[in-house]
Amino acid sequence: MDKVALVTGGSRGIGAAISKALKAQGYQVAATYAGNDEAARAFSGEAGIRSYKWSVTDYDACQTGVRQVEEDLGPVAVLVNNAGITRDAMFHKMTPTQWKEVIDTNLTGLFNMTHCVWSGMRDRKFGRVINISSVNGQKGQAGQANYSAAKAGDIGFTRALAQEGARAGITVNAIAPGYIGTEMVRAIDEKVLTDRILPQIPVGRLGEPEEIARCVVFLASDESGFITGSTLSANGAQFFG
C-alpha cells in the first residue's frame, strides 16, 4: 500500500499544491479544510484527492478526523501542518480574540494534529512531520505580532520534537515560505504589492505554491532521513534565518 500523507489546509493555496505534488509522487493523500465546502468539493473533484472537514483548533475533532483518514486510507506516514490564518492588526489595536484565533490555529493546531499521529509513527518507527512556518516567524512583521509569534513557535516546536523523534525514525522539519503567489497574496492592492512587497524580495517576484510543494516532497522522502530539526527558507533571498 502507498504511504498516506495528511495535509492540513490542503484544499486551497499552498496546501492544494502540496496535496497535488504528494499525490503525483504516489502518496495516498488526505486534505483537510475548516470551512469552505464549495472549494473543497471543487478541489477533490479536480485533483482526485479526498478532503475531510475539521478544525485543527479542536483536539477531539483532530482525533476523530485522523481516525477516519486511517480507516479510509491507512496509517498516516507524512503529516504536513499547513493550516493557517491571519488576523492582522497593529498591536495597540489587536484584540484578545485576534491573538487567540491565530495562536490556536497556527501553533496549537500543530500540537493537536501531531499528537494524534505521533504514537502511531513511533510504533511503526517511521514518520515525516513537516510544519509550514513563515519568513515572518523568522524576522517578525509589523501588524502581525500574533502571526509572527505563532510561526516562530512552529520553528521551536520543530526543533524540540525532532530530538524526540530522531531515535524512532521520525523526522520533523519546517519550511518558512516568503511571499507566495496564492489567491490571498494576489488579492493585495497592486500598488502595495509593487511598491512595498516586491522590493523586499531580491529575486524580484513572488514565489509559486508549487515551489513550496517541491520542498515538502523532498522532506517527505526517504532520501531526507538525515535532515531533521531544520528550517528550510524559501523566500527569494528576502531573509536569511
Side-chain angles (χ1 to χ4, degrees):
M1 182 182 292
D2 294 330
K3 288 177 181 174
V4 175
L6 175 54
V7 183
T8 68
S11 64
R12 300 176 66 191
I14 292 173
I18 292 169
S19 295
K20 291 176 183 178
L22 288 169
K23 184 188 177 192
Q25 292 296 313
Y27 293 88
Q28 294 195 76
V29 180
T32 80
Y33 70 103
N36 194 324
D37 295 322
E38 183 178 352
R41 282 194 297 269
F43 166 79
S44 290
E46 180 261 329
I49 293 171
R50 295 196 196 201
S51 56
Y52 297 80
K53 185 177 182 179
W54 75 77
S55 171
V56 299
T57 67
D58 184 335
Y59 184 82
D60 291 339
C62 292
Q63 281 191 313
T64 301
V66 168
R67 190 178 304 119
Q68 186 62 58
V69 169
E70 297 198 324
E71 287 178 6
D72 293 344
L73 302 178
V76 173
V78 177
L79 171 64
V80 184
N81 285 309
N82 168 74
I85 62 170
T86 56
R87 297 288 186 267
D88 294 353
M90 296 303 287
F91 188 68
H92 65 285
K93 295 182 178 180
M94 185 173 289
T95 66
T97 297
Q98 288 173 317
W99 174 268
K100 186 175 188 302
E101 287 180 349
V102 170
I103 298 298
D104 285 353
T105 298
N106 297 8
L107 181 56
T108 305
L110 268 69
F111 170 83
N112 291 343
M113 285 301 305
T114 308
H115 202 257
C116 291
V117 302
W118 191 253
S119 292
M121 289 180 174
R122 281 171 52 85
D123 290 344
R124 293 185 296 274
K125 302 299 182 186
F126 180 87
R128 297 284 187 266
V129 178
I130 302 164
N131 302 314
I132 307 302
S133 180
S134 169
V135 64
N136 290 343
Q138 296 175 302
K139 71 176 186 63
Q141 178 62 43
Q144 287 195 327
N146 49 4
Y147 184 83
S148 296
K151 290 300 186 177
D154 293 349
I155 293 172
F157 175 85
T158 296
R159 291 172 177 170
L161 200 59
Q163 296 178 53
E164 296 189 28
R167 292 190 179 276
I170 307 169
T171 66
V172 187
N173 291 291
I175 299 169
Y179 285 94
I180 306 300
T182 60
E183 180 182 345
M184 180 178 68
V185 171
R186 293 191 186 281
I188 295 172
D189 180 87
E190 186 175 354
K191 184 172 176 60
V192 172
L193 197 61
T194 302
D195 294 350
R196 294 176 56 187
I197 293 177
L198 289 178
Q200 298 179 44
I201 308 172
V203 301
R205 66 172 177 85
L206 300 175
E208 295 297 332
E210 292 75 16
E211 292 177 299
I212 305 305
R214 288 193 288 272
C215 297
V216 171
V217 166
F218 170 66
L219 290 175
S221 70
D222 291 339
E223 289 77 11
S224 68
F226 197 59
I227 300 172
T228 191
S230 295
T231 300
L232 176 55
S233 297
N235 60 38
Q238 182 183 352
F239 180 80
F240 301 100

